[in-house]
Amino acid sequence: MKAIRRFTVRPVLPDALAALDELAANLRWSWHQPTIDLFREVDETAWLASTDPVGLLGAVSPARLAELAADADFVGRAEALRDDLRAYLAEPRWYQTLDGAAPRSIAYFSPEFGIAAALPQYSGGLGILAGDHLKSASDLGVPIIGVGLFYRAGYFRQAISREGWQEESYPVVDPDGLPMRVLRDPDGSAAVVVLALPEGRALSARIWQLDVGRVPLLLLDTDIPENDEELRGVTDRLYGGGGEHRLLQELLLGIGGTRAVKIYSALAGLPEPEVFHSNEGHAGFLGLERAADLIGEGLTFDQALRVVRAGTVFTTHTPVPAGIDRFDAALIERYFATDLLPGVDVADVLALGVEPTVDGHPNDPAPSFNMAYMGLRLAQRANGVSQLHGEVSRGMFNALWPDFDAEDVPISSVTNGVHAPTWTDPEVTALAAAKLGTSDTTVADWASDAVTDDDLWQLKRRMREQLVEDARRRMSAAWAEENPGIADPAWFRDLLDPDVLTIGFARRVPTYKRLTLMLHDPERLRALLTHPERPIQLVIAGKSHPADDEGKRLIQQLVEFSQGADVRQRIVFLPNYDIGMAKTLYPGCDIWLNNPLRPLEACGTSGMKAAMGGALNLSILDGWWNEYYDDRNGWAIPSADSAGDGAERDALEAASLYDLLEHQITPRFYDRGPGDIPAKWVADMRHTLATLSPELSADRMVKQYVGGLYTPAAVAERAISASSFAPARDLAAWTAKVERAWPGVHVAHVESGGVDATPQLGEHLNVRAYVELGDLVPDDVKVELVYGTARDGDVLTGIRRLRLDLESHDLGSPATFQGTVELDLAGAFGYTVRVVPNHALLATPAELGLLATA
């Protein structure tokens, strides 16, 4: 018989074990190995079943708790760890050493957060990145407030049927069984945010707070009595439901989340954030909520928009237009023609999400509201998540700045990173501590002779053995679930081999990631798997979106191949890929495989996590690998970009994959010297640990966000908000003036001189530009000499810019600007002159999208 409702009753711990409650309440335990070890000691079986201290303490018998309370050594260690946590929360860290320009507080919005396996509020890389961002922010002392939604069913739990088809289930998450608490007003009642909806309805949400180390994470939950049955389900599932359901989720995240931050800041006595960071477009409505607040303080929408933009950072993770959230414009109009945002006109909202036209024709035959375009229009600073993705994004969003070349589009890049304490196996940390004097693997001197080749090889062997044991356990558990009462096959006990070259592949399963590229030539793969002297083995995992049948078919093809009697001990698909599985899978692999269609992988952090355990990458040069591959940390699969079609490209790239495995990778792994150690392979492991551990760390990433985006945004927000927003009013008026006058701005004439008929290196080119300014004055513009190497079609490359100085401006005549540049490069030289708006509060020349060229 099944229960109609399930909930968690929290235990009352003996006074001597009070430290356990405090340790369990803060998610720092999820990356603090000594605390994890302590909870495992409470009851190893219960810990492995839940990997959640709250659930663990609820499952332990009173007798065991009494036994622990009487154990002075255990109590002493628990209290020492509690004291260590308190010090961690209170002591100054990296951020506290910065000057006063850094933001007082930052709000970080994401639709998903991957913190720990016990909290299934993530679907893939976006959520794991958000979780790692918060963890590193905590370690660095960055004053961030995380904002998201609490999904009662999280993302789905995956099972694989006998036919190899993905099946989804949605276990309900009990918040009482997790380290989270309801945010409460001073009178003890739950703090609630309310959003006005069409037809006079209202959406209410309570606010859960989780402590991620030093970082508060606020999650909004609509499953409360104030809502009717339909609205209680708004936060039912991550990425669930149709268009209107998704819109409600995103309205709640952006607008409700911003209101939740205000409530939390007031209750905690903290300053409201100066900077708001939208991790993808799902939270984009946060800018409109902030604008509504400013309108309430007396600003117009255009003035409020200048303030909002100054303090907003937008990160895009999408390398293709099809991946952008879009809503029907009529649906947006219906929701905003209400009291949802007092003072904000629906026409202003719609204008933010309109898609630019190409040759005067809409890109989309049906009017749609584009969340990424709104995100970019509401943020003065934007970035992609790898250098290549930044380049791709500048091209993809060039239509917002149509007069500018793609390289001038104001989208920078911050390459993602991974939180080292979370993703570095305890075995690696222990080796660094024992031999290199530090448990921080990102600063350890892996090149030191203190760590021998044998140390590294035995380390990898132990982690590979852990993976093999975990894979066997998971396959047996999956069999028991699918075939209750029937013993699992005997061959499961010989599944995988801890001494065979192990290749991992685990990620979401959209078609562009090409899960089945390895199956392109089944016989060649079979030969690699069953080679008598140099075999490989593949450990594969991943979830397809519930609505993506094509992705499910790819999983099915792989599962069917893996069930062949001759290969089934060498290739396995592990169901229900999650953080818990990943933490054993990544370090246990020798090779991490990634073969997306270039350039559709925005970053791809799974290979980063594998590298933290000394794994070598085998990947298409896409995402992060495009900038970090160096010939010694793995292999690059050549991209067949010039292939005639997709089928030919797959064939060529699959052949390259097989060639690398057969002729380079397996010989290197199995070429053994003294002590049965593959010296060249271990040298590459050592190089990977030494060079990639610091670079791939989320600490590096968060520091880049602080220095390159958060601090400039805070400085800009303070400047534009000074003197009761007088600069915002001035900027809005100036912008309107410049936009009206810009049609009259043009370069009338350009003169040059100072070089011989045959210019020579070292000569100086003098340039004078005559610019018609219309109703503007010279201070309103910046006139630049743009020069570089001229290629075919006079296209400039290696571009440099020199601001020209005002020489004269007589009434009724063009303004004259002049400057001089040295010819310091031989070859084809080219130049032009451009004019852009100039104002101290503009972050980039392209910000207004206005340009005049010679």
Side-chain angles (χ1 to χ4, degrees):
M1 184 172 287
K2 292 186 177 180
I4 61 171
R5 189 181 172 210
R6 175 180 172 177
F7 57 89
T8 300
V9 179
R10 296 198 181 190
V12 178
L13 296 179
D15 290 343
L17 298 181
L20 293 181
D21 260 340
E22 197 168 330
L23 290 168
N26 191 304
L27 283 158
R28 187 212 185 198
W29 60 257
S30 67
W31 72 89
H32 189 246
Q33 193 60 41
T35 305
I36 292 173
D37 292 341
L38 183 79
F39 281 118
R40 180 185 288 113
E41 189 177 337
V42 171
D43 186 323
E44 185 160 5
T45 302
W47 173 256
L48 292 175
S50 67
T51 62
D52 166 37
V54 175
L56 167 75
L57 295 176
V60 175
S61 68
R64 175 57 177 162
L65 292 175
E67 180 184 355
L68 291 170
D71 184 338
D73 178 67
F74 180 87
V75 171
R77 284 184 286 122
E79 291 177 347
L81 287 170
R82 177 200 59 199
D83 294 343
D84 177 74
L85 173 62
R86 290 176 177 176
Y88 171 87
L89 299 176
E91 66 190 10
R93 304 188 77 81
W94 169 80
Y95 194 85
Q96 284 65 50
T97 68
L98 303 182
D99 61 33
R104 291 186 295 272
S105 179
I106 303 145
Y108 180 87
F109 289 68
S110 180
E112 50 178 298
F113 287 92
I115 308 291
L119 193 69
Q121 304 289 301
Y122 61 94
S123 69
L126 181 70
I128 299 299
L129 170 78
D132 283 2
H133 196 108
L134 297 193
K135 292 173 183 177
S136 275
S138 174
D139 290 344
L140 294 170
V142 181
I144 276 182
I145 301 170
V147 186
L149 302 180
F150 177 66
Y151 306 98
R152 279 305 175 106
Y155 202 50
F156 68 89
R157 186 179 185 279
Q158 180 195 54
I160 302 298
S161 73
R162 296 180 186 180
E163 294 74 33
W165 193 253
Q166 172 181 291
E167 298 175 333
E168 302 92 23
S169 60
Y170 293 87
V172 174
V173 179
D174 177 16
D176 292 325
L178 294 170
M180 51 198 294
R181 60 191 182 278
V182 173
L183 188 65
R184 297 191 179 276
D185 288 324
D187 64 3
S189 61
V192 174
V193 297
V194 182
L195 276 63
L197 301 182
E199 288 85 49
R201 303 173 76 198
L203 175 65
S204 299
R206 66 179 159 193
I207 306 162
W208 292 98
Q209 179 182 341
L210 298 87
D211 294 323
V212 185
R214 298 164 68 112
V215 172
L217 173 58
L218 310 178
L219 301 180
L220 278 64
D221 177 11
T222 61
D223 188 15
I224 57 176
E226 289 87 337
N227 293 321
D228 61 32
E229 192 62 29
E230 179 186 359
L231 293 180
R232 289 183 74 149
V234 166
T235 54
D236 55 355
R237 298 176 183 177
L238 174 58
Y239 304 140
E244 189 164 3
H245 188 87
R246 287 285 294 275
L247 176 61
L248 282 165
Q249 288 188 339
E250 297 189 13
L251 289 170
L252 180 63
L253 176 60
I255 297 173
T258 303
R259 294 175 184 176
V261 168
K262 289 183 66 176
I263 293 170
Y264 170 79
S265 298
L267 291 173
L270 297 172
E272 290 187 19
E274 295 177 291
V275 175
F276 288 74
H277 184 178
S278 180
N279 188 37
E280 250 308 336
H282 309 82
F285 292 119
L286 70 87
L288 291 172
E289 167 66 13
R290 295 175 60 215
D293 277 350
L294 292 163
I295 290 169
E297 295 185 42
L299 300 187
T300 67
F301 181 79
D302 283 344
Q303 293 165 354
L305 185 61
R306 306 301 152 190
V307 180
V308 168
R309 282 177 49 79
T312 301
V313 174
F314 173 70
T315 298
T316 173
H317 295 257
T318 308
V320 289
I324 297 170
D325 262 0
R326 292 177 172 84
F327 296 104
D328 183 78
L331 183 64
I332 296 292
E333 183 172 11
R334 175 169 163 254
Y335 272 83
F336 281 90
T338 63
D339 293 328
L340 178 61
L341 293 177
V344 177
D345 190 276
V346 68
D348 290 326
V349 176
L350 292 171
L352 291 170
V354 69
E355 301 197 348
T357 59
V358 177
D359 299 328
H361 300 290
N363 290 339
D364 189 333
S368 64
F369 186 91
N370 186 305
M371 294 296 289
Y373 284 130
M374 179 180 70
L376 289 165
R377 288 179 172 124
L378 286 172
Q380 196 173 41
R381 288 162 183 82
N383 68 285
V385 291
S386 68
Q387 290 179 8
L388 178 60
H389 180 238
E391 180 183 329
V392 169
S393 297
R394 288 188 287 275
M396 186 168 75
F397 294 113
N398 205 160
L400 276 174
W401 299 270
D403 293 334
F404 287 84
D405 294 336
E407 55 263 30
D408 290 322
V409 169
I411 300 175
S412 63
S413 63
V414 176
T415 301
N416 287 342
V418 300
H419 184 242
T422 294
W423 297 110
T424 303
D425 191 89
E427 292 269 4
V428 180
T429 305
L431 179 62
K435 295 296 185 75
L436 301 175
T438 177
S439 58
D440 183 350
T441 58
T442 67
V443 300
D445 180 12
W446 290 106
S448 169
D449 292 340
V451 173
T452 66
D453 283 1
D454 185 62
D455 289 333
L456 287 174
W457 188 236
Q458 293 305 320
L459 166 73
K460 177 56 71 173
R461 209 278 180 185
R462 291 193 299 274
M463 295 190 298
R464 200 184 305 120
E465 188 169 35
Q466 289 173 3
L467 169 58
V468 169
E469 292 171 355
D470 188 62
R472 291 173 182 173
R473 181 183 62 79
R474 288 178 183 276
M475 289 300 289
S476 292
W479 173 274
E481 186 174 312
E482 191 68 30
N483 305 274
I486 302 175
D488 56 12
W491 62 266
F492 273 19
R493 288 179 281 283
D494 296 316
L495 178 66
L496 305 178
D497 184 330
D499 292 310
V500 167
L501 170 62
T502 303
I503 301 172
F505 183 105
R507 52 192 36 86
R508 291 182 304 109
V509 191
T511 52
Y512 81 85
K513 290 183 183 282
R514 297 191 296 183
L515 170 68
T516 55
L517 185 68
M518 63 186 79
L519 295 182
H520 194 274
D521 184 340
E523 293 311 311
R524 198 164 178 190
L525 176 60
R526 182 174 281 107
L528 286 163
L529 292 166
T530 60
H531 194 285
E533 297 172 354
R534 300 196 300 264
I536 67 170
Q537 58 191 10
L538 284 158
V539 184
I540 304 159
K543 293 179 177 180
S544 176
H545 188 281
D548 183 7
D549 282 352
E550 182 58 34
K552 294 180 185 180
R553 275 190 284 273
L554 297 179
I555 292 175
Q556 186 178 43
Q557 290 172 29
L558 193 73
V559 171
E560 288 175 346
F561 178 85
S562 72
Q563 291 172 345
D566 56 341
V567 298
R568 64 191 183 189
Q569 291 174 312
R570 288 281 186 267
I571 178 171
V572 60
F573 183 91
L574 300 178
N576 202 40
Y577 178 43
D578 66 1
I579 289 175
M581 179 194 297
K583 291 181 76 169
T584 302
L585 174 56
Y586 295 139
C589 290
D590 301 290
I591 289 286
W592 194 259
L593 175 63
N594 189 30
N595 45 233
L597 279 169
R598 188 180 193 269
L600 303 186
E601 184 84 285
C603 183
T605 57
S606 59
M608 293 180 169
K609 301 179 185 92
M612 290 290 182
L616 308 182
N617 274 264
L618 170 60
S619 176
I620 295 287
L621 285 173
D622 200 5
W624 75 276
W625 190 235
N626 185 67
E627 65 197 79
Y628 281 110
Y629 167 63
D630 70 359
D631 270 337
R632 292 189 58 196
N633 51 22
W635 289 265
I637 304 170
S639 295
D641 298 335
S642 59
D645 57 24
E648 182 184 0
R649 180 172 183 169
D650 285 353
L652 290 170
E653 293 182 2
S656 295
L657 169 61
Y658 298 136
D659 285 343
L660 286 168
L661 286 168
E662 183 176 349
H663 301 299
Q664 294 189 38
I665 295 172
T666 53
R668 196 175 189 86
F669 182 85
Y670 287 104
D671 180 14
R672 304 298 169 86
D676 199 34
I677 297 171
K680 291 180 180 179
W681 188 279
V682 172
D684 290 344
M685 283 178 57
R686 187 186 296 274
H687 173 78
T688 294
L689 288 167
T691 60
L692 291 185
S693 293
E695 283 296 310
L696 303 184
S697 166
D699 284 5
R700 183 270 309 157
M701 173 189 74
V702 171
K703 288 179 179 179
Q704 282 187 248
Y705 272 108
V706 169
L709 292 166
Y710 293 162
T711 297
V715 170
E717 196 275 340
R718 291 170 198 152
I720 205 166
S721 302
S723 304
S724 301
F725 303 108
R729 293 183 171 90
D730 292 344
L731 179 60
W734 178 86
T735 299
K737 178 190 75 170
V738 170
E739 289 175 340
R740 286 193 306 269
W742 202 258
V745 176
H746 65 274
V747 180
H749 178 58
V750 178
E751 295 177 351
S752 63
V755 295
D756 291 338
T758 304
Q760 298 197 16
L761 199 67
E763 293 186 345
H764 290 81
L765 176 70
N766 302 317
V767 175
R768 180 175 285 107
Y770 299 87
V771 180
E772 291 284 0
L773 296 177
D775 294 332
L776 301 182
V777 299
D779 284 347
D780 290 330
V781 300
K782 180 192 293 183
V783 180
E784 295 179 318
L785 178 70
V786 183
Y787 61 99
T789 301
R791 301 297 186 190
D792 293 343
D794 294 329
V795 174
L796 292 177
T797 61
I799 287 176
R800 290 182 280 178
R801 298 182 182 89
L802 172 72
R803 183 170 184 174
L804 301 181
D805 298 322
L806 177 67
E807 186 176 67
S808 65
H809 185 210
D810 298 328
L811 189 64
S813 300
T816 306
F817 296 82
Q818 64 82 30
T820 300
V821 63
E822 181 182 355
L823 303 181
D824 58 358
L825 292 174
F829 180 88
Y831 72 90
T832 187
V833 171
R834 77 173 190 178
V835 185
V836 294
N838 178 54
H839 193 285
L841 293 177
L842 297 182
T844 69
E847 184 164 327
L848 300 184
L850 301 174
L851 176 71
T853 57

